[in-house]
Coordinates of all heavy atoms in Angstrom, one line a residue:
N719 N 21.4 -40.6 -5.8 CA 20.1 -40.9 -6.5 C 19.7 -39.8 -7.5 O 18.6 -39.7 -8.0 CB 19.0 -41.0 -5.4 CG 18.8 -39.7 -4.5 OD1 19.5 -38.7 -4.8 ND2 18.0 -39.8 -3.5
Q720 N 20.7 -38.9 -7.8 CA 20.5 -37.9 -8.8 C 19.3 -36.9 -8.5 O 18.7 -36.3 -9.4 CB 20.3 -38.4 -10.2 CG 21.6 -39.0 -10.8 CD 21.8 -40.4 -10.5 OE1 20.9 -41.3 -10.5 NE2 23.0 -40.8 -10.1
Q721 N 19.0 -36.7 -7.3 CA 17.9 -35.9 -6.9 C 18.3 -34.6 -6.3 O 17.4 -33.7 -6.0 CB 16.9 -36.6 -6.0 CG 16.2 -37.8 -6.7 CD 15.3 -38.6 -5.7 OE1 15.3 -38.4 -4.5 NE2 14.4 -39.4 -6.3
S722 N 19.5 -34.4 -6.0 CA 20.0 -33.1 -5.5 C 21.3 -32.8 -6.2 O 22.1 -33.7 -6.6 CB 20.3 -33.2 -4.0 OG 19.1 -33.5 -3.3
Y723 N 21.6 -31.5 -6.3 CA 22.8 -31.1 -7.1 C 23.3 -29.8 -6.7 O 22.7 -28.9 -6.1 CB 22.5 -31.2 -8.6 CG 21.6 -30.0 -9.1 CD1 22.1 -28.8 -9.4 CD2 20.2 -30.2 -9.1 CE1 21.3 -27.8 -9.9 CE2 19.4 -29.2 -9.6 CZ 19.9 -28.0 -9.9 OH 19.1 -26.9 -10.3
F724 N 24.6 -29.5 -7.1 CA 25.2 -28.2 -7.1 C 25.8 -28.0 -8.5 O 26.6 -28.9 -9.0 CB 26.2 -28.1 -6.0 CG 27.0 -26.8 -6.1 CD1 26.6 -25.6 -5.6 CD2 28.3 -26.8 -6.8 CE1 27.3 -24.4 -5.7 CE2 29.0 -25.6 -6.9 CZ 28.5 -24.4 -6.4
R725 N 25.5 -26.9 -9.2 CA 26.0 -26.6 -10.5 C 26.7 -25.3 -10.6 O 26.2 -24.3 -10.1 CB 24.9 -26.7 -11.5 CG 25.4 -26.5 -13.0 CD 24.2 -26.8 -14.0 NE 23.0 -26.0 -13.7 CZ 21.9 -26.2 -14.4 NH1 21.8 -27.2 -15.2 NH2 20.8 -25.5 -14.1
A726 N 27.8 -25.2 -11.3 CA 28.5 -23.9 -11.5 C 28.9 -23.9 -13.0 O 29.5 -24.8 -13.5 CB 29.8 -23.9 -10.7
V727 N 28.5 -22.8 -13.6 CA 28.7 -22.6 -15.1 C 29.3 -21.2 -15.4 O 28.7 -20.2 -14.9 CB 27.4 -22.8 -15.9 CG1 27.7 -22.6 -17.4 CG2 26.9 -24.2 -15.6
Y728 N 30.4 -21.2 -16.1 CA 30.9 -19.9 -16.6 C 30.5 -19.8 -18.1 O 30.5 -20.7 -18.8 CB 32.5 -19.9 -16.6 CG 33.1 -18.7 -17.3 CD1 33.1 -17.4 -16.8 CD2 33.6 -18.9 -18.6 CE1 33.6 -16.4 -17.5 CE2 34.1 -17.8 -19.3 CZ 34.1 -16.6 -18.8 OH 34.6 -15.5 -19.5
F729 N 30.0 -18.6 -18.5 CA 29.6 -18.3 -19.8 C 30.2 -17.1 -20.4 O 30.5 -16.1 -19.7 CB 28.0 -18.2 -19.9 CG 27.5 -17.1 -19.1 CD1 27.3 -15.8 -19.6 CD2 27.1 -17.3 -17.8 CE1 26.8 -14.8 -18.8 CE2 26.6 -16.3 -17.0 CZ 26.4 -15.0 -17.5
N730 N 30.3 -17.0 -21.7 CA 30.9 -15.9 -22.4 C 30.3 -15.9 -23.8 O 30.5 -16.8 -24.6 CB 32.4 -16.0 -22.5 CG 33.0 -14.7 -23.0 OD1 32.4 -13.9 -23.8 ND2 34.3 -14.4 -22.6
T731 N 29.5 -14.8 -24.1 CA 28.8 -14.7 -25.4 C 29.3 -13.4 -26.0 O 29.3 -12.3 -25.4 CB 27.3 -14.7 -25.2 OG1 26.9 -15.9 -24.7 CG2 26.6 -14.4 -26.5
T732 N 29.6 -13.4 -27.3 CA 29.9 -12.2 -28.1 C 29.0 -12.2 -29.3 O 28.9 -13.2 -30.0 CB 31.4 -12.3 -28.5 OG1 32.2 -12.3 -27.4 CG2 31.7 -11.0 -29.3
I733 N 28.4 -11.0 -29.5 CA 27.5 -10.8 -30.7 C 28.1 -9.8 -31.6 O 28.4 -8.6 -31.1 CB 26.1 -10.4 -30.2 CG1 25.5 -11.3 -29.1 CG2 25.1 -10.3 -31.4 CD1 24.2 -10.8 -28.5
N734 N 28.3 -10.1 -32.8 CA 28.9 -9.2 -33.8 C 27.8 -8.7 -34.7 O 26.7 -9.3 -34.8 CB 30.0 -9.8 -34.6 CG 31.2 -10.1 -33.8 OD1 31.8 -9.2 -33.2 ND2 31.6 -11.4 -33.8
D735 N 28.0 -7.5 -35.4 CA 27.1 -6.9 -36.3 C 25.7 -6.6 -35.6 O 24.7 -6.7 -36.2 CB 26.8 -7.8 -37.5 CG 28.0 -8.0 -38.4 OD1 28.8 -7.0 -38.5 OD2 28.1 -9.1 -39.0
V736 N 25.8 -6.1 -34.4 CA 24.6 -5.8 -33.6 C 23.9 -4.6 -34.3 O 24.5 -3.6 -34.7 CB 25.0 -5.4 -32.2 CG1 23.8 -4.8 -31.4 CG2 25.6 -6.6 -31.4
I737 N 22.6 -4.8 -34.5 CA 21.8 -3.8 -35.2 C 21.4 -2.6 -34.2 O 20.9 -2.9 -33.1 CB 20.6 -4.4 -35.8 CG1 21.0 -5.4 -36.8 CG2 19.7 -3.3 -36.5 CD1 19.8 -6.3 -37.4
I738 N 21.7 -1.4 -34.6 CA 21.4 -0.2 -33.8 C 20.7 0.8 -34.6 O 20.7 0.8 -35.8 CB 22.7 0.4 -33.1 CG1 23.5 1.0 -34.2 CG2 23.4 -0.6 -32.3 CD1 24.6 2.0 -33.7
F739 N 20.0 1.7 -33.9 CA 19.4 2.9 -34.6 C 20.4 4.0 -34.6 O 20.9 4.5 -33.5 CB 18.1 3.3 -33.8 CG 17.4 4.5 -34.4 CD1 16.6 4.3 -35.5 CD2 17.6 5.8 -33.9 CE1 16.0 5.4 -36.1 CE2 17.0 6.8 -34.5 CZ 16.1 6.6 -35.6
Q740 N 20.8 4.4 -35.8 CA 21.8 5.5 -35.9 C 21.1 6.7 -36.4 O 20.5 6.8 -37.5 CB 22.9 5.0 -36.9 CG 24.1 5.9 -37.0 CD 25.1 5.3 -38.0 OE1 24.8 5.2 -39.2 NE2 26.2 5.0 -37.5
S741 N 21.4 7.8 -35.7 CA 20.8 9.1 -36.1 C 21.5 9.7 -37.3 O 22.8 9.5 -37.5 CB 20.9 10.1 -35.0 OG 20.2 9.7 -33.8
I742 N 20.8 10.3 -38.2 CA 21.3 11.0 -39.4 C 20.8 12.4 -39.5 O 19.7 12.7 -38.8 CB 21.1 10.2 -40.7 CG1 19.6 9.9 -40.9 CG2 21.9 8.9 -40.6 CD1 19.3 9.2 -42.1
N743 N 21.4 13.2 -40.3 CA 21.0 14.7 -40.4 C 19.8 15.0 -41.4 O 19.3 16.1 -41.4 CB 22.2 15.5 -40.7 CG 23.2 15.5 -39.6 OD1 22.9 15.4 -38.4 ND2 24.5 15.5 -40.0
T744 N 19.5 14.0 -42.2 CA 18.4 14.2 -43.2 C 17.3 13.3 -42.9 O 17.4 12.2 -42.2 CB 19.0 13.9 -44.6 OG1 19.5 12.6 -44.7 CG2 20.1 14.9 -44.9
A745 N 16.1 13.6 -43.4 CA 14.9 12.8 -43.2 C 15.2 11.4 -43.7 O 15.8 11.2 -44.7 CB 13.7 13.4 -44.0
P746 N 14.7 10.4 -42.9 CA 13.9 10.4 -41.7 C 14.6 10.6 -40.4 O 14.1 10.3 -39.4 CB 13.1 9.1 -41.8 CG 14.2 8.2 -42.4 CD 14.9 9.0 -43.4
Y747 N 15.9 11.0 -40.5 CA 16.7 11.4 -39.3 C 17.1 10.2 -38.5 O 17.5 10.3 -37.3 CB 16.0 12.4 -38.4 CG 15.6 13.7 -39.2 CD1 14.3 13.9 -39.6 CD2 16.6 14.6 -39.6 CE1 14.0 15.0 -40.3 CE2 16.3 15.7 -40.4 CZ 15.0 15.9 -40.7 OH 14.6 17.0 -41.5
G748 N 17.1 9.0 -39.1 CA 17.6 7.8 -38.4 C 17.5 6.6 -39.3 O 16.7 6.6 -40.3
K749 N 18.3 5.6 -39.0 CA 18.4 4.4 -39.9 C 19.0 3.3 -39.1 O 19.9 3.5 -38.2 CB 19.3 4.7 -41.1 CG 19.3 3.6 -42.1 CD 20.2 4.0 -43.3 CE 20.2 2.9 -44.4 NZ 21.0 3.3 -45.5
Y750 N 18.5 2.1 -39.3 CA 19.1 0.9 -38.6 C 20.3 0.4 -39.4 O 20.2 0.3 -40.6 CB 18.0 -0.2 -38.5 CG 17.0 0.0 -37.4 CD1 15.7 0.5 -37.8 CD2 17.3 -0.2 -36.1 CE1 14.8 0.7 -36.8 CE2 16.4 0.1 -35.1 CZ 15.1 0.5 -35.4 OH 14.2 0.8 -34.5
V751 N 21.4 0.1 -38.7 CA 22.6 -0.3 -39.3 C 23.2 -1.4 -38.4 O 23.0 -1.5 -37.2 CB 23.6 0.8 -39.5 CG1 23.1 1.9 -40.5 CG2 23.9 1.5 -38.2
N752 N 24.0 -2.3 -39.1 CA 24.9 -3.2 -38.3 C 26.1 -2.4 -37.9 O 26.9 -1.9 -38.7 CB 25.4 -4.4 -39.2 CG 24.2 -5.3 -39.6 OD1 23.7 -5.2 -40.7 ND2 23.8 -6.1 -38.7
F753 N 26.3 -2.3 -36.6 CA 27.4 -1.4 -36.1 C 28.2 -1.9 -34.9 O 29.4 -1.8 -34.9 CB 26.7 0.0 -35.8 CG 27.7 1.1 -35.7 CD1 28.2 1.7 -36.8 CD2 28.1 1.6 -34.4 CE1 29.1 2.8 -36.7 CE2 29.0 2.6 -34.3 CZ 29.5 3.2 -35.5
N754 N 27.5 -2.3 -33.9 CA 28.1 -2.6 -32.6 C 28.5 -4.0 -32.3 O 28.1 -4.9 -33.1 CB 27.2 -2.1 -31.4 CG 27.1 -0.6 -31.3 OD1 28.0 0.1 -31.9 ND2 26.1 -0.1 -30.7
K755 N 29.3 -4.3 -31.2 CA 29.6 -5.6 -30.7 C 29.1 -5.7 -29.3 O 29.4 -4.8 -28.5 CB 31.1 -5.9 -30.9 CG 31.4 -7.3 -30.4 CD 32.8 -7.7 -30.7 CE 33.8 -7.0 -29.8 NZ 35.2 -7.4 -30.0
Q756 N 28.3 -6.7 -29.0 CA 27.8 -6.9 -27.6 C 28.5 -8.1 -27.0 O 28.6 -9.2 -27.6 CB 26.3 -7.1 -27.6 CG 25.7 -7.4 -26.3 CD 25.7 -6.2 -25.3 OE1 25.3 -5.2 -25.7 NE2 26.2 -6.4 -24.1
A757 N 28.9 -8.0 -25.7 CA 29.5 -9.1 -25.0 C 28.8 -9.3 -23.7 O 28.4 -8.3 -23.0 CB 31.0 -8.9 -24.8
S758 N 28.6 -10.5 -23.3 CA 28.0 -10.9 -22.0 C 28.8 -12.0 -21.4 O 28.9 -13.1 -22.1 CB 26.5 -11.2 -22.2 OG 26.0 -11.6 -20.9
K759 N 29.3 -11.9 -20.2 CA 30.0 -13.0 -19.6 C 29.7 -13.0 -18.1 O 29.2 -12.0 -17.5 CB 31.5 -12.8 -19.8 CG 32.1 -11.5 -19.3 CD 33.5 -11.3 -19.7 CE 34.1 -10.0 -19.2 NZ 35.5 -9.8 -19.6
G760 N 29.9 -14.2 -17.5 CA 29.6 -14.2 -16.0 C 29.6 -15.6 -15.5 O 30.1 -16.6 -16.1
L761 N 29.0 -15.8 -14.3 CA 29.0 -17.0 -13.6 C 27.6 -17.3 -13.1 O 26.9 -16.4 -12.5 CB 30.0 -17.0 -12.4 CG 30.1 -18.2 -11.5 CD1 30.7 -19.4 -12.3 CD2 30.9 -17.8 -10.3
E762 N 27.1 -18.6 -13.2 CA 25.8 -19.0 -12.7 C 26.1 -20.1 -11.7 O 26.8 -21.1 -12.0 CB 24.9 -19.6 -13.8 CG 24.4 -18.5 -14.8 CD 23.6 -19.1 -15.9 OE1 23.7 -20.4 -16.1 OE2 23.0 -18.4 -16.6
L763 N 25.5 -20.0 -10.5 CA 25.6 -21.1 -9.5 C 24.2 -21.4 -9.1 O 23.4 -20.5 -8.8 CB 26.4 -20.6 -8.3 CG 27.8 -20.1 -8.5 CD1 28.4 -19.6 -7.3 CD2 28.7 -21.2 -9.1
D764 N 23.9 -22.7 -9.0 CA 22.6 -23.1 -8.4 C 22.7 -24.4 -7.8 O 23.5 -25.3 -8.2 CB 21.5 -23.0 -9.5 CG 21.7 -24.0 -10.6 OD1 22.7 -24.0 -11.3 OD2 20.8 -24.9 -10.8
A765 N 21.9 -24.6 -6.7 CA 21.9 -25.9 -5.9 C 20.6 -26.2 -5.4 O 19.7 -25.3 -5.1 CB 22.9 -25.7 -4.8
Q766 N 20.3 -27.5 -5.2 CA 19.0 -27.9 -4.6 C 19.3 -29.2 -3.7 O 20.2 -30.0 -4.1 CB 18.0 -28.3 -5.6 CG 17.5 -27.1 -6.4 CD 16.3 -27.5 -7.3 OE1 15.4 -26.7 -7.5 NE2 16.3 -28.7 -7.8
A767 N 18.6 -29.3 -2.6 CA 18.8 -30.4 -1.8 C 17.6 -30.5 -0.8 O 16.9 -29.6 -0.7 CB 20.1 -30.3 -1.0
Q768 N 17.5 -31.7 -0.1 CA 16.4 -31.9 0.8 C 17.0 -32.5 2.1 O 17.8 -33.4 2.0 CB 15.4 -32.8 0.2 CG 14.2 -32.9 1.1 CD 12.9 -33.1 0.4 OE1 12.8 -32.9 -0.8 NE2 11.8 -33.4 1.1
L769 N 16.6 -31.9 3.2 CA 17.0 -32.4 4.5 C 15.8 -32.8 5.3 O 15.1 -32.0 5.9 CB 17.8 -31.4 5.3 CG 19.2 -30.9 4.7 CD1 19.7 -29.7 5.4 CD2 20.2 -32.0 4.8
G770 N 15.5 -34.1 5.3 CA 14.2 -34.5 5.9 C 13.0 -33.8 5.3 O 12.8 -34.0 4.2
K771 N 12.3 -33.1 6.2 CA 11.1 -32.4 5.7 C 11.4 -31.0 5.1 O 10.5 -30.3 4.6 CB 10.1 -32.2 6.9 CG 9.6 -33.6 7.4 CD 8.5 -33.3 8.5 CE 7.9 -34.7 8.9 NZ 6.9 -34.4 10.0
F772 N 12.7 -30.6 5.1 CA 13.1 -29.3 4.5 C 13.6 -29.5 3.1 O 14.4 -30.4 2.9 CB 14.1 -28.7 5.4 CG 13.6 -28.2 6.7 CD1 13.7 -29.0 7.8 CD2 13.1 -26.9 6.9 CE1 13.2 -28.6 9.1 CE2 12.6 -26.5 8.1 CZ 12.7 -27.4 9.2
N773 N 13.2 -28.7 2.2 CA 13.9 -28.6 0.9 C 14.5 -27.2 0.7 O 13.9 -26.2 1.1 CB 13.0 -29.0 -0.2 CG 11.7 -28.1 -0.3 OD1 11.8 -26.9 -0.6 ND2 10.6 -28.7 0.0
L774 N 15.7 -27.2 0.2 CA 16.4 -25.9 0.0 C 16.8 -25.7 -1.4 O 17.1 -26.7 -2.1 CB 17.7 -25.9 0.9 CG 17.6 -26.2 2.4 CD1 17.8 -27.7 2.7 CD2 18.6 -25.4 3.1
S775 N 16.9 -24.5 -1.9 CA 17.4 -24.2 -3.2 C 18.1 -22.8 -3.1 O 17.7 -22.0 -2.3 CB 16.4 -24.2 -4.3 OG 15.4 -23.2 -4.1
A776 N 19.1 -22.6 -3.9 CA 19.8 -21.4 -3.9 C 20.4 -21.1 -5.3 O 20.8 -22.0 -6.0 CB 21.0 -21.4 -2.9
T777 N 20.3 -19.9 -5.8 CA 20.9 -19.5 -7.1 C 21.7 -18.2 -6.9 O 21.4 -17.4 -6.0 CB 19.9 -19.3 -8.1 OG1 19.1 -18.1 -7.9 CG2 18.9 -20.4 -8.2
Y778 N 22.7 -18.0 -7.7 CA 23.5 -16.8 -7.7 C 23.9 -16.5 -9.2 O 24.4 -17.4 -9.8 CB 24.7 -16.8 -6.8 CG 25.6 -15.7 -7.0 CD1 25.3 -14.4 -6.6 CD2 26.9 -15.8 -7.7 CE1 26.1 -13.3 -6.8 CE2 27.7 -14.7 -7.9 CZ 27.3 -13.5 -7.5 OH 28.2 -12.4 -7.7
T779 N 23.7 -15.3 -9.6 CA 24.1 -14.9 -11.0 C 25.0 -13.7 -10.9 O 24.6 -12.7 -10.3 CB 22.9 -14.6 -11.8 OG1 22.0 -15.7 -11.9 CG2 23.3 -14.3 -13.3
H780 N 26.2 -13.8 -11.6 CA 27.0 -12.7 -11.8 C 27.2 -12.5 -13.3 O 27.6 -13.4 -14.0 CB 28.4 -12.9 -11.1 CG 29.4 -11.8 -11.4 ND1 29.2 -10.5 -10.9 CD2 30.5 -11.7 -12.1 CE1 30.2 -9.7 -11.3 NE2 31.0 -10.4 -12.0
Q781 N 26.9 -11.3 -13.8 CA 27.0 -11.1 -15.2 C 27.5 -9.7 -15.5 O 27.2 -8.8 -14.8 CB 25.6 -11.3 -15.9 CG 24.5 -10.4 -15.3 CD 23.1 -10.8 -15.6 OE1 22.8 -11.9 -16.1 NE2 22.1 -9.9 -15.5
I782 N 28.2 -9.6 -16.6 CA 28.8 -8.3 -17.0 C 28.4 -8.2 -18.5 O 28.7 -9.0 -19.3 CB 30.3 -8.3 -16.9 CG1 30.7 -8.4 -15.4 CG2 30.9 -7.0 -17.4 CD1 32.2 -8.6 -15.2
G783 N 27.8 -7.0 -18.8 CA 27.5 -6.7 -20.2 C 28.3 -5.6 -20.7 O 28.5 -4.6 -20.0
E784 N 28.9 -5.8 -21.9 CA 29.8 -4.7 -22.4 C 29.4 -4.5 -23.9 O 29.3 -5.4 -24.7 CB 31.3 -5.2 -22.3 CG 31.8 -5.3 -20.9 CD 33.2 -5.7 -20.8 OE1 33.7 -6.4 -21.8 OE2 33.9 -5.4 -19.8
L785 N 29.3 -3.2 -24.3 CA 29.0 -2.8 -25.6 C 30.3 -2.1 -26.2 O 30.8 -1.2 -25.6 CB 27.8 -1.9 -25.7 CG 27.3 -1.5 -27.1 CD1 26.7 -2.7 -27.8 CD2 26.3 -0.4 -27.0
T786 N 30.7 -2.6 -27.4 CA 31.8 -1.9 -28.1 C 31.2 -1.2 -29.3 O 30.6 -1.8 -30.2 CB 32.8 -3.0 -28.5 OG1 33.3 -3.7 -27.4 CG2 34.0 -2.3 -29.3
T787 N 31.5 0.1 -29.4 CA 31.0 1.0 -30.4 C 32.1 1.9 -30.9 O 33.1 2.1 -30.2 CB 29.8 1.7 -30.0 OG1 29.2 2.4 -31.2 CG2 30.1 2.7 -28.9
K788 N 32.0 2.5 -32.0 CA 33.0 3.5 -32.5 C 32.6 4.9 -32.0 O 31.5 5.4 -32.3 CB 33.1 3.4 -34.0 CG 33.8 2.1 -34.5 CD 34.1 2.2 -35.9 CE 34.8 0.9 -36.4 NZ 36.1 0.8 -35.7
V789 N 33.5 5.6 -31.4 CA 33.4 7.0 -31.0 C 34.6 7.7 -31.6 O 35.7 7.4 -31.3 CB 33.4 7.1 -29.5 CG1 33.3 8.6 -29.1 CG2 32.2 6.4 -28.9
A790 N 34.3 8.7 -32.5 CA 35.3 9.5 -33.2 C 36.3 8.5 -33.9 O 37.5 8.7 -33.9 CB 36.1 10.3 -32.2
G791 N 35.7 7.5 -34.5 CA 36.5 6.5 -35.3 C 37.2 5.5 -34.5 O 37.9 4.7 -35.1
K792 N 37.1 5.5 -33.2 CA 37.9 4.5 -32.3 C 36.9 3.6 -31.6 O 35.8 4.1 -31.1 CB 38.8 5.2 -31.3 CG 39.9 6.1 -32.0 CD 40.8 6.7 -30.9 CE 41.9 7.5 -31.5 NZ 42.7 8.2 -30.5

Side-chain angles (χ1 to χ4, degrees):
N719 58 7
Q720 286 87 45
Q721 293 181 348
S722 300
Y723 71 86
F724 171 83
R725 180 171 59 187
V727 177
Y728 169 80
F729 61 87
N730 190 330
T731 297
T732 300
I733 309 172
N734 292 304
D735 293 329
V736 173
I737 298 172
I738 67 165
F739 180 79
Q740 187 178 66
S741 298
I742 56 179
N743 295 325
T744 58
Y747 304 105
K749 184 178 183 180
Y750 285 101
V751 295
N752 295 102
F753 196 78
N754 289 341
K755 180 171 73 173
Q756 174 71 52
S758 177
K759 57 186 176 182
L761 179 68
E762 294 175 345
L763 305 174
D764 63 302
Q766 293 189 146
Q768 187 147 349
L769 296 169
K771 295 184 177 182
F772 291 91
N773 56 69
L774 305 94
S775 66
T777 72
Y778 169 70
T779 304
H780 176 67
Q781 57 193 17
I782 298 173
E784 294 179 337
L785 186 69
T786 301
T787 188
K788 288 190 180 296
V789 178
K792 295 182 180 180

